[in-house]
PDB file of all heavy atoms in Angstrom:
ATOM      1  N   ASP A  22      -6.200 -36.666  -7.122  1.00  0.00           N
ATOM      2  CA  ASP A  22      -4.976 -35.938  -6.873  1.00  0.00           C
ATOM      3  C   ASP A  22      -5.236 -34.369  -6.484  1.00  0.00           C
ATOM      4  O   ASP A  22      -4.285 -33.656  -6.245  1.00  0.00           O
ATOM      5  CB  ASP A  22      -4.023 -35.927  -8.075  1.00  0.00           C
ATOM      6  CG  ASP A  22      -3.324 -37.187  -8.196  1.00  0.00           C
ATOM      7  OD1 ASP A  22      -2.961 -37.796  -7.247  1.00  0.00           O
ATOM      8  OD2 ASP A  22      -3.197 -37.694  -9.478  1.00  0.00           O
ATOM      9  N   LEU A  23      -6.400 -34.077  -6.541  1.00  0.00           N
ATOM     10  CA  LEU A  23      -6.794 -32.569  -6.117  1.00  0.00           C
ATOM     11  C   LEU A  23      -6.293 -32.289  -4.752  1.00  0.00           C
ATOM     12  O   LEU A  23      -6.475 -33.094  -3.758  1.00  0.00           O
ATOM     13  CB  LEU A  23      -8.265 -32.366  -6.334  1.00  0.00           C
ATOM     14  CG  LEU A  23      -8.850 -32.106  -7.687  1.00  0.00           C
ATOM     15  CD1 LEU A  23     -10.373 -31.906  -7.622  1.00  0.00           C
ATOM     16  CD2 LEU A  23      -8.163 -30.932  -8.423  1.00  0.00           C
ATOM     17  N   PRO A  24      -5.839 -31.083  -4.500  1.00  0.00           N
ATOM     18  CA  PRO A  24      -5.353 -30.771  -3.162  1.00  0.00           C
ATOM     19  C   PRO A  24      -6.425 -30.865  -2.149  1.00  0.00           C
ATOM     20  O   PRO A  24      -6.374 -31.301  -1.079  1.00  0.00           O
ATOM     21  CB  PRO A  24      -4.810 -29.173  -3.366  1.00  0.00           C
ATOM     22  CG  PRO A  24      -4.489 -29.234  -4.827  1.00  0.00           C
ATOM     23  CD  PRO A  24      -5.419 -30.137  -5.463  1.00  0.00           C
ATOM     24  N   SER A  25      -7.695 -30.434  -2.433  1.00  0.00           N
ATOM     25  CA  SER A  25      -8.928 -30.516  -1.641  1.00  0.00           C
ATOM     26  C   SER A  25      -9.854 -31.486  -2.128  1.00  0.00           C
ATOM     27  O   SER A  25      -9.899 -31.751  -3.333  1.00  0.00           O
ATOM     28  CB  SER A  25      -9.582 -29.200  -1.492  1.00  0.00           C
ATOM     29  OG  SER A  25      -8.734 -28.109  -1.160  1.00  0.00           O
ATOM     30  N   PRO A  26     -10.548 -32.272  -1.295  1.00  0.00           N
ATOM     31  CA  PRO A  26     -11.457 -33.260  -1.764  1.00  0.00           C
ATOM     32  C   PRO A  26     -12.556 -32.564  -2.676  1.00  0.00           C
ATOM     33  O   PRO A  26     -12.955 -31.434  -2.461  1.00  0.00           O
ATOM     34  CB  PRO A  26     -12.111 -33.934  -0.478  1.00  0.00           C
ATOM     35  CG  PRO A  26     -11.829 -32.895   0.583  1.00  0.00           C
ATOM     36  CD  PRO A  26     -10.551 -32.104   0.159  1.00  0.00           C
ATOM     37  N   LEU A  27     -13.026 -33.411  -3.686  1.00  0.00           N
ATOM     38  CA  LEU A  27     -13.991 -32.858  -4.621  1.00  0.00           C
ATOM     39  C   LEU A  27     -15.286 -32.693  -3.748  1.00  0.00           C
ATOM     40  O   LEU A  27     -15.641 -33.485  -3.024  1.00  0.00           O
ATOM     41  CB  LEU A  27     -14.257 -33.863  -5.683  1.00  0.00           C
ATOM     42  CG  LEU A  27     -14.936 -33.510  -6.921  1.00  0.00           C
ATOM     43  CD1 LEU A  27     -14.304 -32.410  -7.643  1.00  0.00           C
ATOM     44  CD2 LEU A  27     -15.171 -34.728  -7.952  1.00  0.00           C
ATOM     45  N   GLN A  28     -15.979 -31.525  -3.954  1.00  0.00           N
ATOM     46  CA  GLN A  28     -17.277 -31.208  -3.240  1.00  0.00           C
ATOM     47  C   GLN A  28     -18.390 -32.092  -3.796  1.00  0.00           C
ATOM     48  O   GLN A  28     -18.458 -32.204  -5.076  1.00  0.00           O
ATOM     49  CB  GLN A  28     -17.669 -29.767  -3.382  1.00  0.00           C
ATOM     50  CG  GLN A  28     -16.559 -28.946  -3.146  1.00  0.00           C
ATOM     51  CD  GLN A  28     -16.362 -28.833  -1.610  1.00  0.00           C
ATOM     52  OE1 GLN A  28     -17.151 -28.463  -0.874  1.00  0.00           O
ATOM     53  NE2 GLN A  28     -15.102 -29.244  -1.126  1.00  0.00           N
ATOM     54  N   PRO A  29     -19.125 -32.810  -2.992  1.00  0.00           N
ATOM     55  CA  PRO A  29     -19.976 -33.889  -3.457  1.00  0.00           C
ATOM     56  C   PRO A  29     -21.303 -33.164  -4.116  1.00  0.00           C
ATOM     57  O   PRO A  29     -21.633 -32.093  -3.620  1.00  0.00           O
ATOM     58  CB  PRO A  29     -20.374 -34.711  -2.217  1.00  0.00           C
ATOM     59  CG  PRO A  29     -20.231 -33.676  -1.115  1.00  0.00           C
ATOM     60  CD  PRO A  29     -19.077 -32.781  -1.523  1.00  0.00           C
ATOM     61  N   PRO A  30     -21.989 -33.809  -4.989  1.00  0.00           N
ATOM     62  CA  PRO A  30     -23.330 -33.425  -5.399  1.00  0.00           C
ATOM     63  C   PRO A  30     -24.275 -33.541  -4.294  1.00  0.00           C
ATOM     64  O   PRO A  30     -24.241 -34.422  -3.359  1.00  0.00           O
ATOM     65  CB  PRO A  30     -23.659 -34.279  -6.590  1.00  0.00           C
ATOM     66  CG  PRO A  30     -22.536 -35.196  -6.813  1.00  0.00           C
ATOM     67  CD  PRO A  30     -21.576 -35.091  -5.634  1.00  0.00           C
ATOM     68  N   LEU A  31     -25.176 -32.548  -4.263  1.00  0.00           N
ATOM     69  CA  LEU A  31     -26.196 -32.521  -3.081  1.00  0.00           C
ATOM     70  C   LEU A  31     -27.564 -32.788  -3.733  1.00  0.00           C
ATOM     71  O   LEU A  31     -28.058 -32.374  -4.777  1.00  0.00           O
ATOM     72  CB  LEU A  31     -26.222 -31.180  -2.337  1.00  0.00           C
ATOM     73  CG  LEU A  31     -24.856 -30.672  -1.793  1.00  0.00           C
ATOM     74  CD1 LEU A  31     -25.095 -29.375  -1.050  1.00  0.00           C
ATOM     75  CD2 LEU A  31     -24.270 -31.805  -0.823  1.00  0.00           C
ATOM     76  N   GLY A  32     -28.459 -33.576  -2.836  1.00  0.00           N
ATOM     77  CA  GLY A  32     -29.843 -33.738  -3.332  1.00  0.00           C
ATOM     78  C   GLY A  32     -30.694 -32.561  -2.955  1.00  0.00           C
ATOM     79  O   GLY A  32     -30.192 -31.641  -2.200  1.00  0.00           O
ATOM     80  N   PRO A  33     -32.018 -32.751  -3.110  1.00  0.00           N
ATOM     81  CA  PRO A  33     -32.870 -31.794  -2.792  1.00  0.00           C
ATOM     82  C   PRO A  33     -32.964 -31.345  -1.141  1.00  0.00           C
ATOM     83  O   PRO A  33     -33.188 -30.274  -0.843  1.00  0.00           O
ATOM     84  CB  PRO A  33     -34.330 -32.277  -3.134  1.00  0.00           C
ATOM     85  CG  PRO A  33     -34.112 -33.477  -3.935  1.00  0.00           C
ATOM     86  CD  PRO A  33     -32.661 -33.944  -3.693  1.00  0.00           C
ATOM     87  N   ASP A  34     -32.563 -32.398  -0.414  1.00  0.00           N
ATOM     88  CA  ASP A  34     -32.533 -32.133   1.020  1.00  0.00           C
ATOM     89  C   ASP A  34     -31.219 -31.466   1.480  1.00  0.00           C
ATOM     90  O   ASP A  34     -31.044 -31.304   2.715  1.00  0.00           O
ATOM     91  CB  ASP A  34     -32.757 -33.501   1.726  1.00  0.00           C
ATOM     92  CG  ASP A  34     -31.683 -34.522   1.276  1.00  0.00           C
ATOM     93  OD1 ASP A  34     -30.758 -34.296   0.478  1.00  0.00           O
ATOM     94  OD2 ASP A  34     -31.754 -35.780   1.762  1.00  0.00           O
ATOM     95  N   GLY A  35     -30.235 -31.215   0.525  1.00  0.00           N
ATOM     96  CA  GLY A  35     -29.078 -30.602   0.940  1.00  0.00           C
ATOM     97  C   GLY A  35     -28.014 -31.645   1.424  1.00  0.00           C
ATOM     98  O   GLY A  35     -26.930 -31.195   1.660  1.00  0.00           O
ATOM     99  N   ASN A  36     -28.343 -32.890   1.365  1.00  0.00           N
ATOM    100  CA  ASN A  36     -27.372 -33.937   1.686  1.00  0.00           C
ATOM    101  C   ASN A  36     -26.767 -34.560   0.458  1.00  0.00           C
ATOM    102  O   ASN A  36     -27.365 -34.460  -0.607  1.00  0.00           O
ATOM    103  CB  ASN A  36     -27.973 -35.119   2.458  1.00  0.00           C
ATOM    104  CG  ASN A  36     -28.468 -34.663   3.881  1.00  0.00           C
ATOM    105  OD1 ASN A  36     -27.823 -33.887   4.599  1.00  0.00           O
ATOM    106  ND2 ASN A  36     -29.626 -35.094   4.305  1.00  0.00           N
ATOM    107  N   PRO A  37     -25.495 -35.031   0.560  1.00  0.00           N
ATOM    108  CA  PRO A  37     -24.945 -35.733  -0.520  1.00  0.00           C
ATOM    109  C   PRO A  37     -25.731 -36.698  -1.197  1.00  0.00           C
ATOM    110  O   PRO A  37     -26.378 -37.446  -0.460  1.00  0.00           O
ATOM    111  CB  PRO A  37     -23.538 -36.290   0.071  1.00  0.00           C
ATOM    112  CG  PRO A  37     -23.279 -35.339   1.250  1.00  0.00           C
ATOM    113  CD  PRO A  37     -24.585 -34.915   1.778  1.00  0.00           C
ATOM    114  N   VAL A  38     -25.741 -36.743  -2.527  1.00  0.00           N
ATOM    115  CA  VAL A  38     -26.594 -37.766  -3.170  1.00  0.00           C
ATOM    116  C   VAL A  38     -25.942 -39.113  -3.094  1.00  0.00           C
ATOM    117  O   VAL A  38     -24.700 -39.192  -3.227  1.00  0.00           O
ATOM    118  CB  VAL A  38     -26.676 -37.278  -4.713  1.00  0.00           C
ATOM    119  CG1 VAL A  38     -27.434 -38.428  -5.522  1.00  0.00           C
ATOM    120  CG2 VAL A  38     -27.433 -35.986  -4.853  1.00  0.00           C
ATOM    121  N   SER A  39     -26.525 -40.152  -2.883  1.00  0.00           N
ATOM    122  CA  SER A  39     -26.169 -41.541  -2.756  1.00  0.00           C
ATOM    123  C   SER A  39     -26.157 -42.146  -4.106  1.00  0.00           C
ATOM    124  O   SER A  39     -26.937 -41.763  -5.006  1.00  0.00           O
ATOM    125  CB  SER A  39     -26.981 -42.354  -1.847  1.00  0.00           C
ATOM    126  OG  SER A  39     -28.167 -42.671  -2.328  1.00  0.00           O
ATOM    127  N   PRO A  40     -25.135 -43.100  -4.341  1.00  0.00           N
ATOM    128  CA  PRO A  40     -25.197 -43.832  -5.665  1.00  0.00           C
ATOM    129  C   PRO A  40     -26.566 -44.335  -5.935  1.00  0.00           C
ATOM    130  O   PRO A  40     -27.029 -44.275  -7.096  1.00  0.00           O
ATOM    131  CB  PRO A  40     -24.161 -44.981  -5.405  1.00  0.00           C
ATOM    132  CG  PRO A  40     -23.241 -44.272  -4.458  1.00  0.00           C
ATOM    133  CD  PRO A  40     -24.138 -43.452  -3.545  1.00  0.00           C
ATOM    134  N   ASP A  41     -27.244 -44.946  -4.994  1.00  0.00           N
ATOM    135  CA  ASP A  41     -28.666 -45.441  -5.177  1.00  0.00           C
ATOM    136  C   ASP A  41     -29.628 -44.501  -5.764  1.00  0.00           C
ATOM    137  O   ASP A  41     -30.423 -44.865  -6.634  1.00  0.00           O
ATOM    138  CB  ASP A  41     -29.322 -45.983  -3.887  1.00  0.00           C
ATOM    139  CG  ASP A  41     -28.673 -47.525  -3.684  1.00  0.00           C
ATOM    140  OD1 ASP A  41     -27.982 -48.065  -4.487  1.00  0.00           O
ATOM    141  OD2 ASP A  41     -29.059 -48.053  -2.512  1.00  0.00           O
ATOM    142  N   GLN A  42     -29.419 -43.140  -5.256  1.00  0.00           N
ATOM    143  CA  GLN A  42     -30.388 -42.174  -5.854  1.00  0.00           C
ATOM    144  C   GLN A  42     -30.133 -41.929  -7.241  1.00  0.00           C
ATOM    145  O   GLN A  42     -31.024 -41.459  -7.982  1.00  0.00           O
ATOM    146  CB  GLN A  42     -30.272 -40.922  -5.109  1.00  0.00           C
ATOM    147  CG  GLN A  42     -30.901 -40.918  -3.623  1.00  0.00           C
ATOM    148  CD  GLN A  42     -30.519 -39.654  -2.901  1.00  0.00           C
ATOM    149  OE1 GLN A  42     -29.353 -39.425  -2.445  1.00  0.00           O
ATOM    150  NE2 GLN A  42     -31.552 -38.915  -2.675  1.00  0.00           N
ATOM    151  N   LEU A  43     -29.010 -42.173  -7.736  1.00  0.00           N
ATOM    152  CA  LEU A  43     -28.592 -41.980  -9.230  1.00  0.00           C
ATOM    153  C   LEU A  43     -28.982 -43.205 -10.139  1.00  0.00           C
ATOM    154  O   LEU A  43     -29.021 -43.089 -11.278  1.00  0.00           O
ATOM    155  CB  LEU A  43     -27.133 -41.631  -9.314  1.00  0.00           C
ATOM    156  CG  LEU A  43     -26.655 -40.252  -8.846  1.00  0.00           C
ATOM    157  CD1 LEU A  43     -25.271 -40.160  -8.847  1.00  0.00           C
ATOM    158  CD2 LEU A  43     -27.357 -39.039  -9.479  1.00  0.00           C
ATOM    159  N   SER A  44     -29.246 -44.296  -9.442  1.00  0.00           N
ATOM    160  CA  SER A  44     -29.375 -45.577 -10.255  1.00  0.00           C
ATOM    161  C   SER A  44     -30.521 -45.654 -11.223  1.00  0.00           C
ATOM    162  O   SER A  44     -30.393 -46.417 -12.125  1.00  0.00           O
ATOM    163  CB  SER A  44     -29.377 -46.887  -9.267  1.00  0.00           C
ATOM    164  OG  SER A  44     -30.672 -46.797  -8.573  1.00  0.00           O
ATOM    165  N   PRO A  45     -31.521 -44.933 -11.090  1.00  0.00           N
ATOM    166  CA  PRO A  45     -32.601 -44.889 -12.081  1.00  0.00           C
ATOM    167  C   PRO A  45     -32.097 -44.240 -13.386  1.00  0.00           C
ATOM    168  O   PRO A  45     -32.580 -44.385 -14.496  1.00  0.00           O
ATOM    169  CB  PRO A  45     -33.898 -44.164 -11.508  1.00  0.00           C
ATOM    170  CG  PRO A  45     -33.624 -44.178 -10.063  1.00  0.00           C
ATOM    171  CD  PRO A  45     -32.137 -44.250  -9.952  1.00  0.00           C
ATOM    172  N   VAL A  46     -31.120 -43.311 -13.234  1.00  0.00           N
ATOM    173  CA  VAL A  46     -30.683 -42.465 -14.338  1.00  0.00           C
ATOM    174  C   VAL A  46     -29.412 -43.029 -14.960  1.00  0.00           C
ATOM    175  O   VAL A  46     -29.404 -43.033 -16.221  1.00  0.00           O
ATOM    176  CB  VAL A  46     -30.312 -40.974 -13.786  1.00  0.00           C
ATOM    177  CG1 VAL A  46     -29.854 -40.166 -14.959  1.00  0.00           C
ATOM    178  CG2 VAL A  46     -31.429 -40.535 -12.960  1.00  0.00           C
ATOM    179  N   PHE A  47     -28.405 -43.559 -14.249  1.00  0.00           N
ATOM    180  CA  PHE A  47     -27.276 -44.070 -14.814  1.00  0.00           C
ATOM    181  C   PHE A  47     -27.074 -45.572 -14.313  1.00  0.00           C
ATOM    182  O   PHE A  47     -27.498 -45.909 -13.255  1.00  0.00           O
ATOM    183  CB  PHE A  47     -25.968 -43.304 -14.387  1.00  0.00           C
ATOM    184  CG  PHE A  47     -26.103 -41.818 -14.726  1.00  0.00           C
ATOM    185  CD1 PHE A  47     -26.219 -40.887 -13.892  1.00  0.00           C
ATOM    186  CD2 PHE A  47     -25.912 -41.377 -16.104  1.00  0.00           C
ATOM    187  CE1 PHE A  47     -26.270 -39.518 -14.093  1.00  0.00           C
ATOM    188  CE2 PHE A  47     -25.905 -40.058 -16.369  1.00  0.00           C
ATOM    189  CZ  PHE A  47     -26.178 -39.095 -15.431  1.00  0.00           C
ATOM    190  N   PRO A  48     -26.227 -46.344 -15.136  1.00  0.00           N
ATOM    191  CA  PRO A  48     -26.122 -47.781 -14.685  1.00  0.00           C
ATOM    192  C   PRO A  48     -24.960 -47.611 -13.600  1.00  0.00           C
ATOM    193  O   PRO A  48     -24.300 -46.760 -13.488  1.00  0.00           O
ATOM    194  CB  PRO A  48     -25.513 -48.398 -15.945  1.00  0.00           C
ATOM    195  CG  PRO A  48     -24.849 -47.254 -16.681  1.00  0.00           C
ATOM    196  CD  PRO A  48     -25.686 -46.018 -16.444  1.00  0.00           C
ATOM    197  N   MET A  49     -25.099 -48.711 -12.738  1.00  0.00           N
ATOM    198  CA  MET A  49     -24.268 -48.556 -11.506  1.00  0.00           C
ATOM    199  C   MET A  49     -22.756 -48.646 -11.699  1.00  0.00           C
ATOM    200  O   MET A  49     -21.987 -47.926 -11.050  1.00  0.00           O
ATOM    201  CB  MET A  49     -24.684 -49.753 -10.514  1.00  0.00           C
ATOM    202  CG  MET A  49     -24.145 -49.535  -9.154  1.00  0.00           C
ATOM    203  SD  MET A  49     -24.477 -47.991  -8.292  1.00  0.00           S
ATOM    204  CE  MET A  49     -26.240 -48.167  -7.900  1.00  0.00           C
ATOM    205  N   ASN A  50     -22.273 -49.286 -12.825  1.00  0.00           N
ATOM    206  CA  ASN A  50     -20.937 -49.329 -13.141  1.00  0.00           C
ATOM    207  C   ASN A  50     -20.395 -47.886 -13.547  1.00  0.00           C
ATOM    208  O   ASN A  50     -19.240 -47.506 -13.184  1.00  0.00           O
ATOM    209  CB  ASN A  50     -20.540 -50.374 -14.250  1.00  0.00           C
ATOM    210  CG  ASN A  50     -21.494 -50.207 -15.443  1.00  0.00           C
ATOM    211  OD1 ASN A  50     -22.156 -49.222 -15.622  1.00  0.00           O
ATOM    212  ND2 ASN A  50     -21.347 -51.205 -16.387  1.00  0.00           N
ATOM    213  N   LEU A  51     -21.187 -47.075 -14.089  1.00  0.00           N
ATOM    214  CA  LEU A  51     -20.764 -45.721 -14.374  1.00  0.00           C
ATOM    215  C   LEU A  51     -20.825 -44.759 -13.158  1.00  0.00           C
ATOM    216  O   LEU A  51     -20.054 -43.902 -12.951  1.00  0.00           O
ATOM    217  CB  LEU A  51     -21.622 -45.159 -15.518  1.00  0.00           C
ATOM    218  CG  LEU A  51     -21.108 -45.584 -16.943  1.00  0.00           C
ATOM    219  CD1 LEU A  51     -22.012 -44.891 -18.083  1.00  0.00           C
ATOM    220  CD2 LEU A  51     -19.691 -45.182 -17.133  1.00  0.00           C
ATOM    221  N   ILE A  52     -21.841 -45.117 -12.329  1.00  0.00           N
ATOM    222  CA  ILE A  52     -22.006 -44.335 -11.021  1.00  0.00           C
ATOM    223  C   ILE A  52     -20.828 -44.587 -10.176  1.00  0.00           C
ATOM    224  O   ILE A  52     -20.144 -43.733  -9.521  1.00  0.00           O
ATOM    225  CB  ILE A  52     -23.261 -44.749 -10.217  1.00  0.00           C
ATOM    226  CG1 ILE A  52     -24.522 -44.304 -11.071  1.00  0.00           C
ATOM    227  CG2 ILE A  52     -23.311 -44.120  -8.828  1.00  0.00           C
ATOM    228  CD1 ILE A  52     -25.844 -44.901 -10.502  1.00  0.00           C
ATOM    229  N   GLU A  53     -20.323 -45.914 -10.139  1.00  0.00           N
ATOM    230  CA  GLU A  53     -18.974 -46.236  -9.389  1.00  0.00           C
ATOM    231  C   GLU A  53     -17.892 -45.504  -9.909  1.00  0.00           C
ATOM    232  O   GLU A  53     -16.990 -44.967  -9.077  1.00  0.00           O
ATOM    233  CB  GLU A  53     -18.882 -47.758  -9.444  1.00  0.00           C
ATOM    234  CG  GLU A  53     -19.701 -48.546  -8.560  1.00  0.00           C
ATOM    235  CD  GLU A  53     -19.772 -50.079  -8.928  1.00  0.00           C
ATOM    236  OE1 GLU A  53     -19.001 -50.422  -9.794  1.00  0.00           O
ATOM    237  OE2 GLU A  53     -20.671 -50.691  -8.331  1.00  0.00           O
ATOM    238  N   GLN A  54     -17.865 -45.275 -11.144  1.00  0.00           N
ATOM    239  CA  GLN A  54     -16.708 -44.489 -11.889  1.00  0.00           C
ATOM    240  C   GLN A  54     -16.825 -43.127 -11.426  1.00  0.00           C
ATOM    241  O   GLN A  54     -15.832 -42.392 -11.213  1.00  0.00           O
ATOM    242  CB  GLN A  54     -16.809 -44.683 -13.295  1.00  0.00           C
ATOM    243  CG  GLN A  54     -15.536 -45.050 -13.938  1.00  0.00           C
ATOM    244  CD  GLN A  54     -15.759 -45.361 -15.376  1.00  0.00           C
ATOM    245  OE1 GLN A  54     -16.353 -44.645 -16.152  1.00  0.00           O
ATOM    246  NE2 GLN A  54     -15.064 -46.424 -15.865  1.00  0.00           N
ATOM    247  N   GLU A  55     -18.026 -42.570 -11.367  1.00  0.00           N
ATOM    248  CA  GLU A  55     -18.319 -41.126 -11.045  1.00  0.00           C
ATOM    249  C   GLU A  55     -17.770 -40.866  -9.780  1.00  0.00           C
ATOM    250  O   GLU A  55     -17.233 -39.673  -9.461  1.00  0.00           O
ATOM    251  CB  GLU A  55     -19.791 -40.917 -11.099  1.00  0.00           C
ATOM    252  CG  GLU A  55     -20.296 -39.484 -10.972  1.00  0.00           C
ATOM    253  CD  GLU A  55     -19.837 -38.491 -12.010  1.00  0.00           C
ATOM    254  OE1 GLU A  55     -19.445 -38.899 -13.068  1.00  0.00           O
ATOM    255  OE2 GLU A  55     -19.994 -37.292 -11.716  1.00  0.00           O
ATOM    256  N   VAL A  56     -17.865 -41.702  -8.784  1.00  0.00           N
ATOM    257  CA  VAL A  56     -17.451 -41.432  -7.296  1.00  0.00           C
ATOM    258  C   VAL A  56     -16.136 -42.090  -6.992  1.00  0.00           C
ATOM    259  O   VAL A  56     -15.735 -42.024  -5.905  1.00  0.00           O
ATOM    260  CB  VAL A  56     -18.558 -41.908  -6.441  1.00  0.00           C
ATOM    261  CG1 VAL A  56     -19.859 -41.161  -6.715  1.00  0.00           C
ATOM    262  CG2 VAL A  56     -18.834 -43.449  -6.449  1.00  0.00           C
ATOM    263  N   SER A  57     -15.517 -42.706  -8.073  1.00  0.00           N
ATOM    264  CA  SER A  57     -14.200 -43.530  -7.767  1.00  0.00           C
ATOM    265  C   SER A  57     -12.945 -42.608  -7.219  1.00  0.00           C
ATOM    266  O   SER A  57     -12.772 -41.528  -7.777  1.00  0.00           O
ATOM    267  CB  SER A  57     -13.709 -44.274  -8.981  1.00  0.00           C
ATOM    268  OG  SER A  57     -12.545 -44.741  -8.871  1.00  0.00           O
ATOM    269  N   PRO A  58     -12.348 -43.061  -6.154  1.00  0.00           N
ATOM    270  CA  PRO A  58     -11.243 -42.353  -5.577  1.00  0.00           C
ATOM    271  C   PRO A  58      -9.946 -42.804  -6.267  1.00  0.00           C
ATOM    272  O   PRO A  58      -8.882 -42.241  -5.927  1.00  0.00           O
ATOM    273  CB  PRO A  58     -11.265 -42.672  -4.173  1.00  0.00           C
ATOM    274  CG  PRO A  58     -11.874 -44.101  -4.169  1.00  0.00           C
ATOM    275  CD  PRO A  58     -12.776 -44.214  -5.305  1.00  0.00           C
ATOM    276  N   SER A  59      -9.962 -43.788  -7.128  1.00  0.00           N
ATOM    277  CA  SER A  59      -8.782 -44.305  -7.722  1.00  0.00           C
ATOM    278  C   SER A  59      -8.079 -43.329  -8.794  1.00  0.00           C
ATOM    279  O   SER A  59      -8.841 -42.727  -9.610  1.00  0.00           O
ATOM    280  CB  SER A  59      -9.038 -45.640  -8.482  1.00  0.00           C
ATOM    281  OG  SER A  59      -9.716 -46.540  -7.584  1.00  0.00           O
ATOM    282  N   ARG A  60      -6.807 -43.326  -8.741  1.00  0.00           N
ATOM    283  CA  ARG A  60      -6.142 -42.433  -9.621  1.00  0.00           C
ATOM    284  C   ARG A  60      -6.215 -42.961 -11.080  1.00  0.00           C
ATOM    285  O   ARG A  60      -6.305 -42.206 -12.044  1.00  0.00           O
ATOM    286  CB  ARG A  60      -4.637 -42.272  -9.109  1.00  0.00           C
ATOM    287  CG  ARG A  60      -3.774 -41.421 -10.156  1.00  0.00           C
ATOM    288  CD  ARG A  60      -2.336 -41.192  -9.553  1.00  0.00           C
ATOM    289  NE  ARG A  60      -2.563 -40.332  -8.324  1.00  0.00           N
ATOM    290  CZ  ARG A  60      -1.990 -40.702  -7.107  1.00  0.00           C
ATOM    291  NH1 ARG A  60      -1.478 -41.917  -6.934  1.00  0.00           N
ATOM    292  NH2 ARG A  60      -2.092 -39.950  -6.097  1.00  0.00           N
ATOM    293  N   TRP A  61      -5.975 -44.240 -11.270  1.00  0.00           N
ATOM    294  CA  TRP A  61      -5.910 -44.834 -12.491  1.00  0.00           C
ATOM    295  C   TRP A  61      -7.122 -45.881 -12.692  1.00  0.00           C
ATOM    296  O   TRP A  61      -7.298 -46.693 -11.722  1.00  0.00           O
ATOM    297  CB  TRP A  61      -4.659 -45.569 -12.806  1.00  0.00           C
ATOM    298  CG  TRP A  61      -3.508 -44.583 -12.862  1.00  0.00           C
ATOM    299  CD1 TRP A  61      -2.623 -44.331 -11.866  1.00  0.00           C
ATOM    300  CD2 TRP A  61      -3.155 -43.610 -13.914  1.00  0.00           C
ATOM    301  NE1 TRP A  61      -1.741 -43.409 -12.306  1.00  0.00           N
ATOM    302  CE2 TRP A  61      -2.011 -42.931 -13.511  1.00  0.00           C
ATOM    303  CE3 TRP A  61      -3.563 -43.511 -15.193  1.00  0.00           C
ATOM    304  CZ2 TRP A  61      -1.500 -42.141 -14.320  1.00  0.00           C
ATOM    305  CZ3 TRP A  61      -3.104 -42.519 -15.985  1.00  0.00           C
ATOM    306  CH2 TRP A  61      -1.938 -41.755 -15.568  1.00  0.00           C
TER     307      TRP A  61
END
Side-chain angles (χ1 to χ4, degrees):
Chain A
D22 287 323
L23 280 177
S25 309
L27 197 60
Q28 305 293 293
L31 305 181
D34 56 2
N36 291 320
V38 173
S39 73
D41 276 352
Q42 285 176 288
L43 293 171
S44 65
V46 182
F47 300 109
M49 195 50 78
N50 49 11
L51 283 177
I52 295 171
E53 283 163 10
Q54 229 171 46
E55 181 69 17
V56 299
S57 171
S59 304
R60 178 173 293 122
W61 295 101

